[in-house]
Structure formats: C-alpha cells, structure tokens
Amino acid sequence: MNRAEATSRCWAEIDLNEICGNYLRARELTGGAEVICVLKGNAYGLGAVEVGRALMAAGARKFAVASGDEAEELLDACPGADVLVLGAVGEDQSRRLIARGGLLTLFGPEQGELLARIARDLGRSARVHVKVDTGLYRLGFTGPQAADQIAELNATGLFRMEGLFTHLALHSRAADEAQFARFDAVREALADRGVYFPCVHALDSIGMVRYPERTMDAVRLGAWLYGVRPARYERDLCRPVAKFKARVAQLRDVSAGELIGYDDDHPIGHDARIATLTAGYLDGVPRLNNAGEVSIRGRRAPVVGLVCMDQMMVDVSGIPGVQPGDEVTFLGDEISINEYAAWGHLNRNEALGRIGRRVTRVYRWKDGEFFANGVSGR
C-alpha cells in the first residue's frame, strides 16, 4: 500500500511521535511513577499493536486492555509487554492467559475461586491486580467484607497479588475523597492482615491532573495518550495525535427547496453546490442531520442532509474551486476533538474510538510513515 492508495477514500492520520510525547510528559508529571498505558478498544480506535510498539520504543512496559482477546493480541505483537486485563475473562481464555503469565484483574470472591481452580490445575500462580469498588458500582470487591475476602484468596497461595486498585467515578471532589477514603481503609485492613501490594493505583487521565497528591505507584492513562486533554486543564502538555479525513467524490448543483439525501425535514434554503464525501457513519462519522461541519481547502462546509452509511453531503457553495478528490477534514487541524465530539453529542473518547475498521490508518513514526488497514495491523 502506498500513500495514494492509503488516502484514496477515508483515512486517519496518527502521529505515534506525539503519542510517545504525551506518555513521556505524563511520566514527568507523575514524578516517574509507573504509567500504565491503556490500549483498550484498539487503542481508542488508533491501533493497539502500532501504538503499543511505539510506546515500548519510548520505554513503556505496562499496558491495560479491557478483554482477553485484546490482551492476547498485544502479548503476541509486543514481546516483553506486561498487559493487565481490566475486565472479565472467560474460563478458557483465563486458563491461556494464566499459563503464559498474563495479568488479570481479580474483582470478586466467585471469580477468585474460578481463577484459583485454574491456577491449581496449571500448577502455577495467577498474576493479578485486585480491584476494589469504592463507589463506581462496576467491578470490584466491596463492603466491609472486602479485605477478608481478598486475604482469604491470598492465603490459598495460588495468586501473585501484584497490584491493588480502584477507579473514581469523578462526580465531585467530595465524592472522590470519599472513594479515596474507602480505598485507603481496605488497603490498611489488608496490611493489618499481612497482605501488601507492590503497585497501588487509582488515577486515570483526569485524576492524574486533578489529584497529583494521589499518584501512588502508578496511573492508568488512555485519553491523555491520545490527545484528549482533561477538562479545565490548561497546560499544553497533552497534544493532539489524530486526524480523520476523506475525499470529495462528486459535486452537483441543487436548487433551493430540494431535500438532500434521506433527510425529509430540512429542504435546502438556497441554490447550492453540494459535495458528496467518501465517508459515512460506518466509518465513524457521527450520524449528523444538518449539523456539524467539515474543512475543505481551509474553509468550513456545513453538513447537509443525514449522514449515510458510507457517504455524506456538505454544502460547498461558499468555497471556490472545490474539485473531486479534494481532501476533507472531519477532525484535526482547525477542528478540535471537543468540537467534533460535541456535534455528535459524543464523549471525546467515544468520538475517537468510533473510527471504523475499514478506515486506513496512516502512521507517522520517527521521520517516516507506514500504513495499515483497520483489520490486519502493520
């Protein structure tokens, strides 16, 4: 694949150098604490294998993913990586991961009994980070019995309990402080029972900048790596890493009063020059309806009609000289992730993660480029 082919329809430009820069700046912010790089959801849609390899070149060794499939992919592609699975894993996959020394989240007594049985069958310890639910009400040991349950599993000798962690709901500072207090209480109760952990962590990207005094041994960073700056954080340390682009496929003149595409509620109010673009909602563009804009030739063009599955239309009446083949930017340069996500009523992480499988990834790395489709990796 050459660049002309890679950028012929719809593509994402991903700067691995900037991702590594965001990682290194986070290391500085945390005073050298471990940065666990979160690569779940195919590295928020940007390519877990490619991003993982680049981060390892920058010195990262600790990663986190959501599923067993994601862990196995990363372990196969990145020898030497230590990959924590944050979510639930089925029995057969847990067996494979324990057998190869993978790192699982231990989040409850029933799941702990399953992992203990697998470890016993394999004749080896299961490596785990223990999750404590302190108020997010998702996964984790919870309540006054949490410390006893964790200590009981530890006493089996079938676990290497390498970490203890929780996750903040980030409702308010008062709620966060209550969660920290619950977490500290469980940690202290475990210490009283002789159970200690070499890696204790609670903070994500937002928590890292909001609660630097709570860095502990590590932070778990996803959004920060991918250029999603925490709200109300003004320092220019988290830099954009991705652009999302397509091409103009065709142009036509449409008379005032006509309906564009599938939309039947918004007849166009003026004679217009309409450009059809080579991307739609299956590529990750939000399914906008007469909302949002794109950038063509450095000028904004409003979306008209309803974004289709594979294509969409914009009004280029005010942009002279637009031609088929012109480059179109959905995200990047003058269109920020904040603006792009707001048009689609999306969380910013979701806006990145929606970039589709068939969108070619164009990676900038060191002084060159390489290309990958969304399925097969490098």
Side-chain angles (χ1 to χ4, degrees):
M1 183 185 295
N2 57 34
R3 195 175 212 285
E5 183 180 359
T7 62
S8 62
R9 179 185 176 270
C10 180
W11 70 100
E13 297 177 0
I14 299 151
D15 193 329
L16 296 173
N17 302 303
E18 288 288 9
I19 292 176
C20 292
N22 287 340
Y23 164 76
L24 293 172
R25 286 185 286 275
R27 289 293 305 268
E28 293 175 2
L29 273 179
T30 58
E34 193 77 61
V35 172
I36 301 171
C37 301
V38 180
L39 304 187
K40 63 184 179 180
N42 197 30
Y44 291 34
L46 303 186
V49 169
E50 291 78 14
V51 171
R53 287 172 174 165
L55 286 168
M56 289 193 76
R61 291 296 179 270
K62 302 286 187 182
F63 301 94
V65 296
S67 72
D69 289 344
E70 291 178 334
E72 289 186 305
E73 176 190 44
L74 204 59
L75 288 167
D76 289 343
C78 299
D82 203 15
V83 183
L84 170 64
V85 184
L86 295 170
V89 179
E91 181 172 351
D92 290 343
Q93 199 162 48
S94 293
R95 185 177 298 274
R96 290 199 303 272
L97 286 166
I98 291 171
R100 69 187 295 178
L103 188 56
L104 299 173
T105 291
L106 175 60
F107 55 79
E110 296 84 3
Q111 180 238 9
E113 291 172 7
L114 171 64
L115 297 184
R117 176 167 58 79
I118 294 170
R120 187 180 295 110
D121 291 346
L122 292 172
R124 64 180 301 161
S125 299
R127 298 178 62 223
V128 297
H129 280 213
V130 179
K131 178 75 177 289
V132 179
D133 178 16
T134 56
L136 188 61
Y137 302 109
R138 201 165 62 180
L139 285 180
F141 291 87
T142 188
Q145 70 275 25
D148 286 334
Q149 291 169 340
I150 296 165
E152 183 177 342
L153 288 167
N154 183 66
T156 65
L158 295 169
F159 294 94
R160 284 171 52 191
M161 294 191 173
E162 300 182 12
L164 181 74
F165 73 107
T166 194
H167 194 78
L168 300 178
L170 297 168
H171 295 310
S172 66
R173 178 171 285 273
D176 295 341
E177 292 295 346
Q179 285 194 253
F180 284 129
R182 295 183 196 116
F183 186 57
D184 291 342
V186 173
R187 184 181 180 186
E188 291 165 7
L190 285 165
D192 290 342
R193 291 160 174 79
V195 184
Y196 301 93
F197 301 87
C199 184
V200 180
H201 48 106
L203 302 182
D204 63 0
S205 298
I206 297 172
M208 178 185 68
V209 300
R210 192 173 291 180
Y211 303 112
E213 73 281 5
R214 289 286 193 164
T215 297
M216 303 180 193
D217 301 306
V219 295
R220 303 181 304 274
L221 299 189
W224 174 279
L225 296 176
Y226 310 122
V228 179
R229 184 185 300 182
R232 303 187 299 278
Y233 182 72
E234 300 302 326
R235 297 181 66 188
D236 186 23
L237 297 177
C238 173
R239 296 175 187 165
V241 306
K243 301 177 182 180
F244 186 20
K245 299 185 176 184
R247 298 277 179 195
V248 173
Q250 192 174 35
L251 293 147
R252 60 174 45 77
D253 294 315
V254 176
S255 299
E258 292 292 330
L259 296 165
I260 306 297
Y262 293 116
D263 177 50
D264 56 7
D265 293 323
H266 303 89
I268 195 159
H270 57 277
D271 293 344
R273 184 80 163 153
I274 300 298
T276 299
L277 310 183
T278 56
Y281 64 79
L282 276 191
D283 299 293
V285 181
R287 198 164 185 253
L288 305 170
N289 191 359
N290 283 275
E293 297 173 329
V294 302
S295 176
I296 304 175
R297 297 191 170 213
R299 304 271 296 274
R300 296 291 187 100
V303 175
V304 290
L306 181 64
V307 171
C308 308
M309 184 179 287
D310 312 303
Q311 300 170 84
M312 59 184 291
M313 284 72 78
V314 298
D315 184 350
V316 295
S317 304
I319 307 176
V322 175
Q323 297 293 325
D326 278 0
E327 188 174 288
V328 179
T329 299
F330 303 115
L331 167 65
D333 298 323
E334 70 274 16
I335 299 180
S336 70
I337 184 65
N338 291 351
E339 189 173 24
Y340 176 75
W343 286 330
H345 304 286
L346 304 173
N347 172 279
R348 294 176 298 169
N349 299 337
E350 180 188 4
L352 282 180
R354 287 164 59 103
I355 296 175
R357 290 179 48 165
R358 67 187 179 190
V359 176
T360 305
R361 274 65 171 171
V362 177
Y363 292 100
R364 182 175 173 231
W365 180 229
K366 308 290 180 145
D367 295 323
E369 287 184 330
F370 66 92
F371 315 108
N373 64 34
V375 179
S376 63
R378 187 175 298 197

